[in-house]
């Protein structure tokens, strides 16, 4: 009879008995749930199951799928002592066994665990204790720290390298002496010394090798012991067992040589093998730790952008204060060449700002009163004052750092496969090593025991799966960091991995392909009028207008320094245009329909009408201007393509992607814009609410869709797409609906993000290849399969060198991503 276990699950959002009935019915359908009792007053469900450790996430999904909420919290825990992918798997399993843990995601490269849990069911202290019980060190809950603690974390990582370096130096010196002493037969002075000392010569080697084995190599024994307590194994087990076998055999040979001679075995110790293997593995770990610290340089660089102080105007005085003390509403003065301390809005003055460190855009951006400025960007020209609107963890830079940290700590789908393989890898390798020893002990050449032992050690050492655990996370760390430096914020590793699969890009028109703001493109004048006349009359009539088309005309007149008149007798014709008296002249401005309603003789304008109709076919909006009953000219206004849109579309086509434009505009205007951009397929007259449905239709055609929009009106479509990519030109960089946010305002970031995803995935595949080629291809060689034909075996010391090189090559290959350059589309 199975034991029944109770789980108390908090649920919020229930308002009546029908809510309770619906939830109980839904939860009862879960196969391993035996009974459900929900209390509306306490907002809690008592769920009885036939298993103690059940996937609580499944219960949460059922509840939230019904429209209710389970109060959960996410924390990041810094974890020490992990060495390979099997460590990752063990910690995740230990955490998931706790009742109340929804998900656990441990990253070997960042040494962090991201845990989502229900506080009412399990505490943070219990999470930490589970990690400790699994044999690992808990350092701190990183999510509770400020972003600037990432610098302290980096400093701590550097401090941790110091004892590793000291241990490596001592082990290296002693191992060199042991190896030199073991080669006495090739060095005449040492040969004479060994003959004079006899067995005491090997005792001297024992004295030199012992500190390496038990002091420098203590971490391997400690790790092996802790995992053995839980009935599991990891790479520490392989190293500890392999080197101990060589060391203990050498001790036995040193003190009992007669026993081995009686068995026909030459009493030759292998202290050098054990010592050199430990030293090489320590060397590999040191290089690996050093390289891993460089892999997280992106966050350090981002944090390094932030100035330490800001010049605040208080009580009429300018004072320099730490940025931590700047408050929302403070007026801050920024001089040329200085960094902007926090986010805000310009209130006085104007300047040109270098925003490349945030947006990836190299061209400075002009800022005037009312424009937003971003903290950590550089003031290139004039002095100005701005009002602080976001400080501390609310600034754009702080949000970017947080997003990058979360992305670097997340796990790509491909990594989960590697983790599963690693969990079975170590026990399998131990089995292969034991089988290797038995086979060669029975059938091997003399001395069979020594031959079998060396092959046994070689198999254990060559198979350490540390490189397998580093293959994906190190590439993700560097890739997401490079993205941030190019103005691309990637939500998580899954988004980075999936972006390379996209074969169709859907671009929203307004604000994505186009500037999102109409501008005057053409001015056509009839006989007797000049361009300046037409613009002056139209802009004067529209003076003070809040209509986007009117604002565009007024802005163009101001750009040309045209002096405007004050309009009188202003009249609006809804949906058609306006009328006003300008300097005693009756001016009408609007569409062709307004001109026809007023019985103006439009035919008399002749060629003006023809040209206006042609502009309309090009996707522009013609605005007719009449003066005292005669057509004076036409002003064409359009939402024009962004400067890089056409080249970006061409680059996307070159990358093998189908590009589709989606818009609510009419087919004629949409087709005109698509022709200019070089887009073949257009989805026109699509309402915002229907965009998600169009994305779903494309997916039903078998397309893997990336949707690019502004992240607000396009939110449903962004969520529906396989990858949602939002254009974020403001300071609100954390757009919830998207997987990737392009901080810059054009499509350069889109091309870069897809190229970066492809490059990162290629790096991951290369890393996995190198990890498996060492861990799998060389195991048969270490086991001696080549010996019967070519008499080739793998020396255990060479196996250790290959294993160390495996980890270092994987991390170094990931670091090559730092040389990634954004494709230029200009």
């Amino acid at each position: 009879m199975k034991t029944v276990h109770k789980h108390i699950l908090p649920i919020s959002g229930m308002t009546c008995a029908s809510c309770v009935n619906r939830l109980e019915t839904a939860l009862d359908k879960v196969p391993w749930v035996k009974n459900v009792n929900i209390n509306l007053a306490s907002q809690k469900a008592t769920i009885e199951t036939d298993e103690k450790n059940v996937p609580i996430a499944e219960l949460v999904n059922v509840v939230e799928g019904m429209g209710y909420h389970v109060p959960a919290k996410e924390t990041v825990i810094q974890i020490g002592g992990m060495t390979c992918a099997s460590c990752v798997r063990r910690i995740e399993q230990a955490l998931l066994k706790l009742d109340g843990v929804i998900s656990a995601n441990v990253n070997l490269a960042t040494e962090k665990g991201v845990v989502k849990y229900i506080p009412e069911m399990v505490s943070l202290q219990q999470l930490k204790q589970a990690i400790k019980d699994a044999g690992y060190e808990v350092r701190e809950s990183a999510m509770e720290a400020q972003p600037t603690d990432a610098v302290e974390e980096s400093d701590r990582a550097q401090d941790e390298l110091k004892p590793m370096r000291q241990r490596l130096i001592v082990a290296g010196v002693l191992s060199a002496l042991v190896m030199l002493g073991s080669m006495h037969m090739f060095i005449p002075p040492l040969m004479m010394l060994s003959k004079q000392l006899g067995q005491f010569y090997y005792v001297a080697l024992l004295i030199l090798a012992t500190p390496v084995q038990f002091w420098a190599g203590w971490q391997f024994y400690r790790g092996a012991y802790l995992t053995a307590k839980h009935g599991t194994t990891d790479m520490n087990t392989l190293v500890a067992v392999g080197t101990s076998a060589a060391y203990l055999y050498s001790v036995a040979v040193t003190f009992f040589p007669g026993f081995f001679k009686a068995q026909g075995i030459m009493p030759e110790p292998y202290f050098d093998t054990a010592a050199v293997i430990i030293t090489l593995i320590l060397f590999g770990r040191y290089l690996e730790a050093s390289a891993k610290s460089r892999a997280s340089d992106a966050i350090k660089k981002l944090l390094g952008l932030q100035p330490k102080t800001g010049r605040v105007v208080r009580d009429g005085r300018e004072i320099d204060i730490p940025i931590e003390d700047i408050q929302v509403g403070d007026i801050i003065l920024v001089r040329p060449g200085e960094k902007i301390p926090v986010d805000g809005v310009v209130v006085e003055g104007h300047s040109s700002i270098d925003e490349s460190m945030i947006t990836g855009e190299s061209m400075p951006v002009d800022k005037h009163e009312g424009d937003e400025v971003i903290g950590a960007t550089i003031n290139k020209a004039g002095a100005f004052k701005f009002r602080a609107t976001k400080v501390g963890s609310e600034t754009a830079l702080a949000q970017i750092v947080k997003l990058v940290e979360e992305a670097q700590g997340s796990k790509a789908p491909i990594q989960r496969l590697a983790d599963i393989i690693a969990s079975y890898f170590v026990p399998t390798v131990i089995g292969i090593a034991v089988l290797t020893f038995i086979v060669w002990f029975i059938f091997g050449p003399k001395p069979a025991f020594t031959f079998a032992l060396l092959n046994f050690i070689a198999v254990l050492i060559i198979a350490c799966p540390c490189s397998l655990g580093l293959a994906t996370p190190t590439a993700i760390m560097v890739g997401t960091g490079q993205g941030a430096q190019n103005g691309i914020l990637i939500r998580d590793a899954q988004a980075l991995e999936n972006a390379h699969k996209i074969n169709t890009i859907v671009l929203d028109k307004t604000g994505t392909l186009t500037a999102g703001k109409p501008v005057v493109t053409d001015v056509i004048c009839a006989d007797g009028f000049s361009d300046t006349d037409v613009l002056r009359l139209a802009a004067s009539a529209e003076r003070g207008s809040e209509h986007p088309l009117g604002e565009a005309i007024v802005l163009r007149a101001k750009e040309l320094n045209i002096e405007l008149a004050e309009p009188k007798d202003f009249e609006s014709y809804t949906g058609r245009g306006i009328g006003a008296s300008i300097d005693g002249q009756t001016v009408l401005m609007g569409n062709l329909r307004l001109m026809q309603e007023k019985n103006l003789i439009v035919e008399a304008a002749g060629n003006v009408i023809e040209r206006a109709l042609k502009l309309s076919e090009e996707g522009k909006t013609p605005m007719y201007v009449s003066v005292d009953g005669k057509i004076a000219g036409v002003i064409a206004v359009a939402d024009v393509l962004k400067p890089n849109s056409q080249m970006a579309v061409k680059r996307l086509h070159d990358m093998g992607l189908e590009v589709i434009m989606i818009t609510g505009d009419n087919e004629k205007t949409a087709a005109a814009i698509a022709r200019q951009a070089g887009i073949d397929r257009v989805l026109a007259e699509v309402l915002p609410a229907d965009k998600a449905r169009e994305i779903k239709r494309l997916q039903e055609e078998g397309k893997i869709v990336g949707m690019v929009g502004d992240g607000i009106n396009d939110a449903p479509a962004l969520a529906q797409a396989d990858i949602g990519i939002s254009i974020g030109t403001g300071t609100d960089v954390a757009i919830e609906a998207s997987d990737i946010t392009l901080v810059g305002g054009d499509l350069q970031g889109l091309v870069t993000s897809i190229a970066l995803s492809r490059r990162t995935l290629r790096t991951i595949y290369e890393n996995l290849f190198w990890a498996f080629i060492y861990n799998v291809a060389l195991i048969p060689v270490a086991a001696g399969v080549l010996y019967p034909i070519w008499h080739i075996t793998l020396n255990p010391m060479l196996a250790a060198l290959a294993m160390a090189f495996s980890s270092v090559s994987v991390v170094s290959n990931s670091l090559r991503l730092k040389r990634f350059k954004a494709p230029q589309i200009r």
Side-chain angles (χ1 to χ4, degrees), residues 7-11 27 43-47 56 59-60 63 70 118 120-121:
H7 308 270
I8 310 299
L9 187 68
I11 302 173
L27 289 167
Q43 297 277 295
K44 289 181 180 178
T46 302
I47 304 172
I56 198 77
L59 298 176
V60 173
V63 172
V70 176
I118 303 169
E120 288 190 41
M121 298 178 69

Side-chain angles (χ1 to χ4, degrees), residues 774-790:
Y774 283 110
N775 290 130
V776 177
L778 291 181
I779 288 177
V781 178
V785 296
L786 300 181
Y787 185 82
I789 304 172
W790 292 292

Side-chain angles (χ1 to χ4, degrees), residues 474-656:
T474 52
I476 294 295
M477 284 176 67
V478 181
T480 51
Q482 286 299 109
Q485 291 178 28
N486 282 280
I488 302 164
L489 302 183
I490 301 163
R491 180 180 293 276
D492 52 32
Q494 183 169 350
L496 183 62
E497 177 178 337
N498 290 342
H500 88 288
K501 301 176 184 177
I502 295 172
N503 55 30
T504 302
I505 290 287
V506 177
L507 301 172
D508 178 54
K509 181 182 80 70
T510 306
T512 301
L513 272 169
T514 65
K517 189 175 182 181
V519 296
V520 173
T521 60
D522 303 87
V523 178
I524 301 170
C525 54
D527 294 340
F529 294 91
S530 67
D531 290 1
T532 302
D533 293 335
V534 173
L535 264 175
R536 188 183 72 83
L537 292 168
S540 296
E542 287 283 7
R543 196 172 185 179
S545 171
E546 294 182 357
H547 192 283
L549 299 182
E551 287 180 345
I553 293 170
V554 173
L555 180 62
R556 181 58 180 161
K558 288 181 177 179
E559 287 173 352
L560 296 174
N561 296 316
I562 297 173
E563 189 174 342
L564 304 183
E566 194 67 35
K568 295 179 180 178
D569 303 324
F570 182 86
E571 190 172 357
S572 175
Y573 302 97
T574 305
R576 289 159 293 164
I578 61 167
S581 175
I582 308 294
D583 296 336
Q585 295 175 297
T586 302
V587 177
L588 279 177
M589 189 178 74
N591 55 26
L592 186 60
R593 181 180 166 192
L594 177 63
M595 301 295 116
Q596 291 169 335
E597 284 180 1
K598 295 298 180 180
N599 296 316
L600 297 177
I601 309 172
V602 295
E603 291 81 1
N607 193 40
V608 172
I609 302 302
E610 245 178 68
R611 291 167 66 188
L613 293 174
K614 188 175 181 182
L615 290 173
S616 180
E617 290 174 0
E618 293 174 3
K620 300 172 183 178
T621 302
M623 305 287 289
Y624 295 85
V625 180
S626 75
V627 179
D628 293 334
K630 292 182 180 180
I631 298 294
V634 175
I635 299 174
V637 180
D639 182 11
V640 297
L641 289 173
K642 290 180 180 178
N644 293 333
S645 292
Q646 190 175 27
M647 286 303 297
V649 170
K650 182 180 183 302
R651 196 64 185 260
L652 292 169
H653 281 145
D654 292 342
M655 296 169 77

Side-chain angles (χ1 to χ4, degrees), residues 305-321:
L305 296 173
Q306 193 172 45
K308 304 296 182 186
T309 61
R311 187 171 290 108
V312 179
V313 180
R314 287 183 180 171
D315 300 325
R317 295 188 305 117
E318 298 174 10
I319 55 173
D320 290 333
I321 63 173

Side-chain angles (χ1 to χ4, degrees), residues 429-440:
V429 166
I430 291 175
I432 293 172
V434 171
L435 181 63
T436 297
F437 179 85
I438 294 170
V439 170
W440 286 115

